[in-house]
Amino acid sequence: KYYGRIWTYRDITERKRAEEELRLKTSFLEAQVNSSIDGILVVDEQDRKILQNQRTVDLLKIPQHIADDKDDEKQRRWVMSIAKNPAQFIERVIYLNSHPNEISRDELEFKDGTILDRYSSPATGKDGKYYGRVWIFRDITERKKLEARLFQSQKMETVGKLAGGIAHEFNSILTAIIGQSEWLLNDLPPRDPLLKNAREIRIDRK
């Protein structure tokens, strides 16, 4: 026999508030990551990409079908194919994966001349648990070109100063030699055989 319906109620206000706060934080984080001038990549312990912004795809020149794949191994192979020093690139990745607590900063250069500043640090939670590794990439190609031009300019300036200094010293020595030859010309007798040599030293312009 049916006697009625039982209704139960539970207050989930705090849970819904927490869920909304989490959604807002996640949206804010995604907006920050996607608007960053740097490439940002986060890879977990299983070598899966858990976060990657479009800037990373652009900087590493990754084909879209590889960028969409969660397997970071495929992406690393792609980067190796365009890297100027692929062995050095993969050697650093392997080292950091086997040393999860280390922070690293180096430069990644491509065959086309692009140079990226590459920074990496462990992704660790408040509880100290290791969740993976964060990679950040920044294009420093123009800065490196400017530094190279500045270095070349400074080098040429240094060479110019050195050459000027040598010319000044040489001119001082030459002036002294010519002065001495003038004294010889004045002091030597008219038929002295050294007169010819003195004239040649003086570089007679008459």
Side-chain angles (χ1 to χ4, degrees):
K1 184 179 179 180
Y2 178 74
Y3 292 98
R5 184 178 296 275
I6 299 175
W7 297 87
T8 59
Y9 299 90
R10 179 179 297 176
D11 188 348
I12 59 171
T13 306
E14 288 303 316
R15 192 188 78 189
K16 298 299 286 186
R17 185 179 292 118
E19 289 175 353
E20 180 61 22
E21 184 179 346
L22 179 60
R23 276 195 296 270
L24 287 172
K25 286 182 177 179
T26 301
S27 298
F28 181 67
L29 175 61
E30 288 177 349
Q32 280 188 311
V33 168
N34 290 322
S35 64
S36 174
I37 63 170
D38 298 327
I40 301 173
L41 167 66
V42 182
V43 181
D44 68 11
E45 291 181 282
Q46 283 72 48
D47 224 17
R48 293 174 303 190
K49 292 180 286 185
I50 57 176
L51 186 151
Q52 176 168 271
N53 65 356
Q54 185 59 41
R55 184 62 173 158
T56 300
V57 178
D58 296 339
L59 288 175
L60 300 181
K61 312 175 196 302
I62 307 167
Q64 199 59 49
H65 70 281
I66 296 178
D68 292 339
D69 197 308
K70 291 296 183 181
D71 185 5
D72 190 51
E73 174 63 26
K74 295 178 182 178
Q75 189 158 289
R76 287 202 300 268
R77 287 200 297 267
W78 163 258
V79 176
M80 284 182 65
S81 72
I82 64 172
K84 185 176 180 180
N85 299 298
Q88 182 181 354
F89 162 76
I90 197 62
E91 181 180 309
R92 193 62 186 161
V93 173
I94 293 172
Y95 175 82
L96 290 173
N97 284 343
S98 60
H99 296 77
N101 294 321
E102 289 209 26
I103 294 174
S104 171
R105 187 170 188 176
D106 63 353
E107 292 179 2
L108 175 59
E109 186 172 359
F110 295 147
K111 294 174 183 176
D112 66 0
T114 300
I115 303 175
L116 303 182
D117 180 56
R118 178 174 61 167
Y119 174 82
S120 181
S121 65
T124 308
K126 291 182 179 180
D127 55 358
K129 182 180 178 181
Y130 177 78
Y131 291 97
R133 181 163 287 277
V134 179
W135 297 87
I136 299 176
F137 306 91
R138 175 170 292 187
D139 191 342
I140 57 171
T141 308
E142 291 305 315
R143 192 190 82 191
K144 298 297 285 186
K145 287 180 179 178
L146 182 60
E147 289 175 354
R149 286 197 296 269
L150 180 61
F151 175 75
Q152 182 65 22
S153 175
Q154 290 174 336
K155 185 170 68 174
M156 293 304 295
E157 182 181 355
T158 301
V159 170
K161 287 180 179 179
L162 179 62
I166 292 173
H168 177 74
E169 291 298 323
F170 181 76
N171 189 57
S172 298
I173 295 170
L174 187 61
T175 300
I177 291 172
I178 293 173
Q180 292 292 331
S181 69
E182 290 284 354
W183 291 339
L184 281 174
L185 286 171
N186 292 330
D187 293 343
L188 290 172
R191 296 185 181 280
D192 194 303
L194 294 177
L195 280 172
K196 181 181 178 182
N197 294 335
R199 290 193 184 96
E200 289 178 352
I201 293 171
R202 191 188 63 172
I203 314 175
D204 198 341
R205 295 181 175 85
K206 297 180 180 179

